[in-house]
């Protein structure tokens, strides 16, 4: 097959088409436009992987909203503080706000859990989670993922913002290990 993509030492084959992605993104936007119409949500786009999904999604979101871009940094604190998670880039006061987390993929949910713990301390009104992809067989956390584009098995995928060792984020479609 000539539509395989080689990234470093691995080959990937087409998995989810642009059309499937577009439909999934539109469905999420429609739900958000209906359900959060009166909430003036702030979207927190989790970089780097979510940039492409966020751009497509937010073009279809027609309700009043704010958009901010964050990174989740986690490091070992002192023995008394344990693991410390910090949100980089959040300058807005989100107290009392409806927050929509925009993720590229939810796998084990560890990243999401860290993020949720920080947001809980900031006394937001409510947090909704939107993700382009979800691996349900891997996700074991208790947080409801409100808006899911496409559920996939525990396969490693690249493209549409997702990377393999820093590469492949620019691919329009989603590819899986061949
Ligand atoms: P989690 O904390 O296990 O839910 O994983 C979150 C992060 O792992 C995502 O934001 C991605 O950066 C990365 N990740 C998980 N699965 C994949 C994959 O299939 N391809 C590329 N990155 C992935």
């Amino acid at each position: 097959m000539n539509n395989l993509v080689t990234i470093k030492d691995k080959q990937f084959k087409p998995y989810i088409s642009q059309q499937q992605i577009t439909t999934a993104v539109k469905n999420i936007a429609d739900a958000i436009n209906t359900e959060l119409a009166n909430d003036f949500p702030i979207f927190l786009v989790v970089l780097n992987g979510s940039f492409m999904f966020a751009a497509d999604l937010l073009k279809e979101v027609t309700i009043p909203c704010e958009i901010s871009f964050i990174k989740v940094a986690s490091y070992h604190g002192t023995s008394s503080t344990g693991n410390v998670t910090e949100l980089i880039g959040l300058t807005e006061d989100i107290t009392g706000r409806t927050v929509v987390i925009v993720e590229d993929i939810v796998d084990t949910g560890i990243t999401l859990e860290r993020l949720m713990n920080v947001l809980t301390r900031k006394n937001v009104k409510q947090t909704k989670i939107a993700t382009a992809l979800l691996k349900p067989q891997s996700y074991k956390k208790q947080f409801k993922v409100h808006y899911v584009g496409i559920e996939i098995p525990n396969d490693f995928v690249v493209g549409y913002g997702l990377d393999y060792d820093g590469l492949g984020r620019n691919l329009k479609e989603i590819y899986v290990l061949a």
Side-chain angles (χ1 to χ4, degrees):
M1 272 210 291
N2 57 5
N3 49 2
L4 291 181
V5 169
T6 303
I7 302 177
K8 290 199 163 172
D9 55 330
K10 298 202 187 322
Q11 286 207 310
F12 294 85
K13 62 185 178 193
Y15 190 45
I16 301 173
S17 70
Q18 233 184 322
Q19 185 52 54
Q20 283 173 284
I21 295 169
T22 304
T23 303
V25 170
K26 184 74 168 70
N27 287 341
I28 295 179
D30 287 348
I32 288 175
N33 288 334
T34 307
E35 293 169 23
L36 304 181
N38 302 315
D39 289 297
F40 186 43
I42 177 162
F43 289 87
L44 296 188
V45 178
V46 185
L47 296 175
N48 293 327
S50 303
F51 76 98
M52 211 177 271
F53 171 50
D56 286 349
L57 176 69
L58 290 161
K59 278 185 270 186
E60 300 294 337
V61 167
T62 52
I63 60 175
C65 64
E66 289 181 307
I67 303 164
S68 194
F69 299 87
I70 61 166
K71 279 200 176 195
V72 182
S74 196
Y75 55 91
H76 288 290
T78 63
S79 54
S80 60
T81 53
N83 228 16
V84 180
T85 297
E86 202 189 330
L87 295 193
I88 300 170
L90 182 63
T91 51
E92 291 84 356
D93 178 8
I94 57 171
T95 310
R97 296 291 301 271
T98 292
V99 172
V100 184
I101 295 173
V102 182
E103 273 281 17
D104 49 355
I105 188 164
V106 175
D107 182 1
T108 62
I110 289 171
T111 311
L112 194 58
E113 183 177 56
R114 290 186 179 139
L115 196 49
M116 292 298 284
N117 288 341
V118 177
L119 293 180
T120 305
R121 290 202 298 275
K122 291 191 180 290
N123 294 318
V124 300
K125 180 182 168 195
Q126 59 177 339
T127 305
K128 302 282 184 181
I129 300 159
T131 185
L133 301 174
L134 172 71
K135 295 181 179 174
Q137 292 153 15
S138 178
Y139 183 63
K140 297 282 178 275
K141 304 293 178 189
Q142 73 277 24
F143 309 106
K144 180 173 165 53
V145 185
H146 305 85
Y147 307 110
V148 177
I150 298 168
E151 293 190 352
I152 61 168
N154 279 354
D155 298 325
F156 188 79
V157 294
V158 292
Y160 199 62
L162 290 154
D163 72 303
Y164 166 52
D165 214 4
L167 299 173
R169 292 193 197 278
N170 52 314
L171 295 165
K172 269 185 212 157
E173 310 201 311
I174 295 170
Y175 291 73
V176 69
L177 268 179

